[in-house]
Amino acid sequence: MLNQTHGSIKIFAGNASKKLAQAICNQLDLPLGQMDVARFSDGETSVSIKETVRGCDVFIIQSTCSPTNENLMDLLIIIDAMKRASAGRITAVIPYFGYARQDRKARARDPISAKLVADLLQTAGVNRVLTMDLHSTQLQGFFDIPVDNLMGMPVLARHFSTFGIPDDMIIVSPDMGSVSRARALATKFNLPMAIIDKRRPKPNVMEVMNIIGDVKGKRCLMIDDMIDTAGTICQGAQAVMDNGATEVIACCTHAVLSGPAIERLQNSVLSKVVVLDTIELPESKKIDKIEVVTISHLFAEAIERVYTDLPVSKLYE
């Protein structure tokens, strides 16, 4: 049982993350807060908090995944409701932070939507943000409040280490953006590393240009922060197989899996895809190749540390 020495703690869940929130509450031996998030007949969000939160340390768990705008608006209105109900401190626990990829102007007259979302959360009244594997770590600088960006790689590493790491394995980064993540995993397991050099002629389209490293005769473990349309991971897997790899396993933190992702994964050379449960998978996306690993224990410990004013930095070690 969480030692409630700092006043009352209450955990609530938006509609996008109910299963994860319940798992976190189970880890902390706390009840899930009573709250209804529904829709008025015209589609507007309706929030009704069924218990007092006055003076409480409130944690709202909600991934802003698809339907992104709906889940984001729900989160903003929940935060506003908590603020107006006199919550003592409000922490938005956003396992998957939508709009994080729109963090700069790629072309003239582009918006910086990630900055707008950061401003909206702060205006709504949030005091702290707890998230995981932001697409760009610099996004933390968009906020004027504390942002804890947990890492999914140690959870994935622990999962794979329980089954044993074969000597012929190599860690593969599917693009230059995931090099640091792949290098950390390769260092942890004392394994070699390869990088897929690619280019994007247009959004959600990837072309493999070159493979840096020797994958011939190796079992490849590809790691990325997210799998969206699965084009990058599937083409990368095919490329390393064409260059002599014997097997390819993919893993990621966020299983966005939009558009043709499921069909691509099913028809790909990938033998397995390991994902974390930052995004709740609907039944239509649960295929045999996909294995889900929970991060409830990590978020539970982070919430306990935030609540008891202990350093969260220990979770990065």
Side-chain angles (χ1 to χ4, degrees):
M1 181 70 178
L2 184 63
N3 183 19
Q4 299 190 40
T5 57
H6 289 60
S8 296
I9 175 175
K10 295 200 174 182
I11 298 176
F12 293 85
N15 290 335
S17 301
K18 284 189 176 295
K19 287 184 179 179
L20 176 60
Q22 186 60 65
I24 291 171
C25 286
N26 292 343
Q27 294 274 346
L28 295 172
D29 197 17
L30 291 172
L32 186 61
Q34 298 300 305
M35 176 181 67
D36 290 335
V37 182
R39 297 278 176 270
F40 289 112
S41 58
D42 62 353
E44 292 180 2
T45 298
S46 166
V47 172
S48 177
I49 304 168
K50 303 293 187 179
E51 57 189 86
T52 182
V53 295
R54 182 176 295 273
C56 294
D57 206 341
V58 171
F59 294 82
I60 305 163
I61 303 172
Q62 170 85 327
S63 280
T64 51
C65 51
S66 180
T68 307
N69 295 337
E70 200 169 276
N71 287 328
L72 174 59
M73 198 66 198
D74 286 358
L75 177 59
L76 294 171
I77 293 174
I78 293 168
I79 292 168
D80 182 73
M82 294 293 178
K83 181 179 70 173
R84 294 178 188 279
S86 301
R89 180 171 64 171
I90 303 170
T91 300
V93 182
I94 312 175
Y96 170 70
F97 194 103
Y99 284 104
R101 286 176 282 181
Q102 298 188 46
D103 61 338
R104 63 191 183 280
K105 293 185 68 169
R107 298 176 302 273
R109 296 176 295 280
D110 273 2
I112 304 179
S113 303
K115 169 59 175 168
L116 174 61
V117 171
D119 290 344
L120 288 170
L121 287 166
Q122 291 173 113
T123 299
V126 76
N127 302 113
R128 190 183 196 102
V129 171
L130 180 60
T131 187
M132 174 170 276
D133 274 347
L134 287 169
H135 189 68
S136 172
T137 55
Q138 293 92 324
L139 196 148
Q140 295 172 86
F142 290 174
F143 290 87
D144 296 320
I145 56 174
V147 177
D148 297 303
N149 182 32
L150 302 178
M151 295 180 292
M153 189 279 290
V155 180
L156 291 167
R158 192 177 307 117
H159 171 76
F160 285 108
S161 63
T162 57
F163 299 101
I165 305 299
D167 294 335
D168 61 346
M169 179 165 275
I170 184 171
I171 307 300
V172 179
S173 173
D175 54 27
M176 297 305 293
S178 291
V179 168
S180 60
R181 190 175 292 105
R183 183 179 291 117
L185 189 60
T187 301
K188 185 174 184 64
F189 290 147
N190 193 27
L191 292 173
M193 175 181 153
I195 303 169
I196 297 175
D197 180 26
K198 69 173 188 181
R199 71 182 185 97
R200 284 191 181 275
K202 57 184 178 179
N204 290 326
V205 175
M206 189 271 280
E207 293 179 0
V208 175
M209 305 296 289
N210 190 26
I211 296 178
I212 304 168
D214 184 12
V215 298
K216 188 174 182 180
K218 301 284 189 179
R219 298 183 189 179
C220 296
L221 177 57
M222 299 180 70
I223 183 169
D224 209 347
D225 63 330
M226 70 174 70
I227 298 176
D228 188 354
T229 61
T232 294
I233 212 80
C234 290
Q235 288 185 45
Q238 186 63 58
V240 295
M241 288 295 284
D242 291 344
N243 279 263
T246 59
E247 182 186 14
V248 189
I249 298 171
C251 63
C252 74
T253 301
H254 309 300
V256 179
L257 304 181
S258 64
I262 293 298
E263 182 181 358
R264 284 176 173 173
L265 291 175
Q266 188 70 71
N267 298 329
S268 72
V269 297
L270 290 164
S271 60
K272 184 163 57 172
V273 181
V274 180
V275 303
L276 301 182
D277 60 349
T278 57
I279 298 173
E280 188 175 317
L281 289 185
E283 289 299 324
S284 60
K285 294 183 179 180
K286 292 179 180 178
I287 59 175
D288 292 340
K289 278 189 179 183
I290 296 179
E291 182 178 349
V292 181
V293 177
T294 186
I295 38 83
S296 57
H297 59 286
L298 183 59
F299 273 101
E301 186 174 352
I303 287 171
E304 183 171 3
R305 286 181 169 275
V306 170
Y307 168 64
T308 54
D309 296 323
L310 291 173
V312 180
S313 58
K314 184 178 184 298
L315 302 181
Y316 297 94
E317 296 174 1

